[in-house]
Amino acid sequence: MRVGAIDCGTNSIRLLIADAEPGIPGAAPRLRDVVREMRIVRLGAGVDATGWLSEEALQRTFEAAGAYAEQLGRHDVDRVRMVATSASRDAGNRRAFAAGIRERLGIEPEVISGDEEARLSFAGAAAAVPQTAEGRSLVVDIGGGSTEFVLGEADGVIAARSHDIGSVRLTERYLSSNPPTEAQLRRLVEDVDAAVEATLETVPLDTATRLIGVAGSVTTVTARALGLRRYDSQAVHGAELGIEEITAAAGELTRMTREQRSDLEYMPAGREDVIGAGAQIWARIAQRIGELTEGRIRGAVTSEQDILDGIALSLLS
């Protein structure tokens, strides 16, 4: 079966077209990429303050959806699923968004809950970084509008929590300077710490034995920590970094101006203005998980597979 998955977040819209291939006996099928593409459309620009998707953001997203529709048709896809996350959940005009997507793709975009977003993120990451029978993995998915904390074992998710602390949202909320000031960064960290404390109410973060980070903020920090000149998905995927390395790379990215970040060859166009917030969110979460596990977790694994892969896998159920 050939499946198509579209993930429409606050910052980007992404497409995966993949073929299902048999896995080992008794295991779920594996995905072989045919097309994997990302466009930064900033759908959620301003939504934290206004509660509405702007007309300009909608048009950027619809243009990308139209291009994806052509790709899906060209590659003769059997099944398609499109998922929309944080920005679409929060927007008062999400019906206009849904209508525009239906017109271009011929399918209904699913505006999913934070819990469903967490489950799909875990499924995608777990497929790439297999779970050990005795351990518990904490998958952290840092998006543009929200961040998901998902704790799971080999047989699936134990508990999950979603919080509105994404890279776009916290950039708009706090990081108005270029580069941000120490006072602005302290306010951002306070929000992250509050989210971690709230997560502890329902997710036993201190029982995790491994930390896995997914999505663009994490992969960009990893590229920085590895000293890559150009982005190399093979080097980034599966990379293990210590918490100190994550913190140092996040600090370097945050101290740069937007103009300096845009000159980095591994920086996707459109992420340079929000990576400071995304990097700081990831570094602070890694630090807090290290503290909560009393040093049992000393670093994190980066996975290039995330909610997009989870959406594709859900079509094989």
Side-chain angles (χ1 to χ4, degrees), residues 76-101:
D76 196 23
V77 172
D78 297 304
R79 300 182 69 188
V80 181
R81 183 183 185 190
M82 177 177 177
V83 159
T85 53
S86 180
S88 305
R89 280 198 299 267
D90 299 342
N93 58 338
R94 56 183 175 269
R95 289 185 180 179
F97 164 74
I101 293 297

Side-chain angles (χ1 to χ4, degrees), residues 209-221:
T209 57
R210 180 167 60 170
L211 177 61
I212 302 172
V214 302
S217 292
V218 174
T219 57
T220 304
V221 170

Side-chain angles (χ1 to χ4, degrees), residues 27-269:
R30 295 178 300 178
L31 297 173
R32 181 180 63 82
D33 287 12
V34 177
V35 173
R36 189 181 286 263
E37 184 177 333
M38 177 190 72
R39 297 188 180 204
I40 293 182
V41 295
R42 197 63 57 81
L43 176 63
V47 77
D48 187 56
T50 68
W52 290 80
L53 302 171
S54 73
E55 185 60 31
E56 294 81 3
L58 285 170
Q59 291 308 314
R60 290 193 298 268
T61 305
F62 294 157
E63 181 181 350
Y68 288 173
E70 292 179 7
Q71 294 250 45
L72 292 164
R74 187 181 315 129
H75 290 282
D76 196 23
V77 172
D78 297 304
R79 300 182 69 188
V80 181
R81 183 183 185 190
M82 177 177 177
V83 159
T85 53
S86 180
S88 305
R89 280 198 299 267
D90 299 342
N93 58 338
R94 56 183 175 269
R95 289 185 180 179
F97 164 74
I101 293 297
R102 281 196 304 271
E103 179 182 342
R104 288 157 180 83
L105 285 168
I107 60 172
E108 188 74 23
E110 300 177 46
V111 181
I112 60 173
S113 67
D115 287 344
E116 174 68 359
E117 185 175 355
R119 187 186 68 78
L120 291 171
S121 295
F122 188 85
V129 185
Q131 310 304 295
T132 57
E134 69 283 357
R136 287 185 169 187
S137 292
L138 175 64
V139 173
V140 176
D141 183 344
I142 301 171
S146 65
T147 292
E148 281 65 53
F149 298 80
V150 197
L151 185 68
E153 295 176 332
D155 57 354
V157 173
I158 297 169
R161 190 79 179 262
S162 177
H163 292 282
D164 288 342
I165 54 166
S167 61
V168 174
R169 196 182 296 270
L170 293 196
T171 297
E172 293 180 348
R173 194 177 291 175
Y174 299 126
L175 307 189
S176 57
S177 298
N178 179 29
T181 66
E182 289 300 317
Q184 290 170 349
L185 291 173
R186 281 196 298 272
R187 295 180 68 191
L188 181 150
V189 168
E190 287 172 1
D191 271 17
V192 177
D193 284 349
V196 171
E197 291 303 314
T199 300
L200 279 167
E201 297 172 2
T202 53
V203 182
L205 300 174
D206 55 336
T207 67
T209 57
R210 180 167 60 170
L211 177 61
I212 302 172
V214 302
S217 292
V218 174
T219 57
T220 304
V221 170
T222 303
R224 180 70 184 182
L226 294 175
L228 300 182
R229 181 179 176 185
R230 296 181 178 87
Y231 193 83
D232 182 347
S233 60
Q234 291 187 333
V236 168
H237 182 62
E240 297 189 43
L241 298 174
I243 293 173
E244 296 81 5
E245 294 176 282
I246 295 169
T247 301
E252 291 168 4
L253 289 168
T254 306
R255 287 190 293 271
M256 293 179 183
T257 64
R258 297 186 188 100
E259 293 74 22
Q260 289 171 326
R261 296 173 194 154
S262 66
D263 288 337
L264 300 173
E265 294 187 46
Y266 55 79
M267 182 72 63

Side-chain angles (χ1 to χ4, degrees), residues 295-315:
R296 182 174 61 250
I297 290 179
R298 300 181 180 181
V301 178
T302 299
S303 173
E304 280 237 324
Q305 295 188 17
D306 52 26
I307 186 174
L308 185 62
D309 302 81
I311 296 165
L313 288 168
S314 72
L315 289 168

